[in-house]
Amino acid sequence: MDEQKKLEIIKLALEIRIETLNMLSKHGFGHVGGSLSIADAIAVLYGKQMKYDPRNPKWSDRDYVVLSKGHCGPALYAALAIKGFFPRDELLTINKLGTRLPSHTDKNKTPGIDMTTGALGQGVSCALGMALGLKLLGKPNRVYAIIGDGEAQEGQVWETMLIAPNKGVKNFIVLLDNNRQQLDGFTDDISSLGDVCRKAEAFGWHVVDVDGHDVVAIDEAIEECKRADKPGFINLNTIKGKGWPAKEAVLGNHALRGAAFEGVDEAIANLRRELAAMQ
C-alpha cells in the first residue's frame, strides 16, 4: 500500500468514528464500543479491498460483507454513507421510526447491507453459504464476515469454522474483532476463547494475527488470505471503544445511554482535529 492510499484509509477510519459517535450521541443510545473497534477494518474493506458500486448496491459482481456482529451496524452505516450509498444526513435517523438504519443491520432496509444480522453466530453461517453459492456458480466475488469475540462463544461459529475448509471455500475471509470484551464483561472472565489463531489453523484455515488498528497490517493480511488456497481467518487485536480514550477498554462501553455520553463532544472534536491535520 502506498503512502497516499494509507492516508486515505486512515482518514476514512477517522470519519467512520466521527459519524458513529455523532449519530449515536444525538440519538442518545447505541452500541459504541464494538462499532469503534471495527472502524479500521471497515475502512480497509471499503477504502481499498472490496469491489462495490454505491449507485448499484445489488451489483452482481460486488464483494459481500456480512457484519455478523450486527449490533455494530453504526460503523458500517457510516462507511456506506461516506461512500455514497445514501446521504450522510440520513445517519441521524438511526433507530428512529421509519428509518432505513435500524439498530441491527437489515438487508431489506439499508442500501449496501448484504445480510440481516443480530442473532449472534447466524451471520457468519450465512456468509459461508454465500461463499459456497458463489463458488458453485464459478463467480470470483469474495465474502467477508466480521464477527465478535463474544459472538465466537456461539457453537454455530465453530460449525462454520469446521465446514468452510472441508468444502474448499477459498473466497471467504472471516475477520474476528478480538477486543477482549463482550456485552457484560471481559471475554476471558466470562468464557475465554483461548488461542483462537491455533484453533482456526487446526480447523484448516489460513490464519493471520494482526494489530486491528493498523490499516497497512490489515490490508496485507487480506492480501495474504486472498493468495491462500483455503479460507482466511484474520484475528484483529483491537481495543473496544478505540477513538474515545475515556471509553477505551473499560467496563460498560458496549452500549451507552443518556448521561454515559458525557464527554462525547470532546472526543468528536479531537477526532476532527486529527482528521484536519491530515488534510
Side-chain angles (χ1 to χ4, degrees), residues 126-219:
C126 292
L128 171 58
M130 292 177 184
L132 275 168
L134 292 164
K135 175 178 179 286
L136 290 171
L137 291 171
K139 294 179 69 66
N141 316 54
R142 293 186 183 276
V143 180
Y144 298 90
I146 302 173
I147 67 173
D149 50 356
E151 178 183 14
Q153 295 162 354
E154 295 281 351
Q156 199 165 346
V157 171
W158 294 99
E159 292 178 33
T160 301
M161 297 299 291
L162 174 68
I163 294 168
N166 285 328
K167 295 297 183 182
V169 180
K170 304 171 187 176
N171 60 337
F172 186 37
I173 297 177
V174 169
L175 300 98
L176 172 65
D177 179 26
N178 198 352
N179 59 37
R180 294 166 177 79
Q181 289 182 252
Q182 56 194 94
L183 186 152
D184 49 359
F186 291 98
T187 310
D188 281 348
D189 294 334
I190 297 169
S191 185
S192 176
L193 297 178
D195 190 334
V196 289
C197 290
R198 287 184 64 190
K199 289 178 180 178
E201 193 170 38
F203 273 86
W205 293 66
H206 182 83
V207 178
V208 190
D209 186 44
V210 300
D211 177 346
H213 301 304
D214 182 336
V215 299
V216 174
I218 296 168
D219 179 63

Side-chain angles (χ1 to χ4, degrees), residues 2-103:
D2 62 37
E3 193 65 23
Q4 181 177 350
K5 177 57 69 173
K6 174 184 174 181
L7 291 175
E8 287 176 9
I9 295 173
I10 292 173
K11 287 192 284 187
L12 176 56
L14 286 168
E15 287 189 89
I16 290 170
R17 289 190 168 96
I18 290 166
E19 294 290 2
T20 296
L21 288 175
N22 188 52
M23 74 174 99
L24 293 182
S25 61
K26 294 285 194 302
H27 180 66
F29 175 77
H31 293 92
V32 171
S35 296
L36 294 177
S37 63
I38 61 171
D40 302 289
I42 288 178
V44 172
L45 290 174
Y46 284 88
K48 182 175 183 288
Q49 283 291 341
M50 286 182 24
K51 295 184 299 180
Y52 60 90
D53 183 355
R55 296 163 299 179
N56 182 15
K58 299 296 185 183
W59 178 41
S60 62
D61 289 332
R62 73 188 185 279
D63 291 326
Y64 294 74
V65 168
V66 175
L67 184 63
S68 196
K69 47 180 290 181
H71 55 283
C72 294
L76 184 50
Y77 296 155
L80 293 172
I82 292 165
K83 289 299 180 179
F85 283 82
F86 52 84
R88 277 209 203 196
D89 57 11
E90 194 170 337
L91 292 172
L92 295 179
T93 71
I94 191 167
N95 291 342
K96 294 182 179 179
L97 288 175
T99 186
R100 294 197 294 176
L101 309 178
S103 177

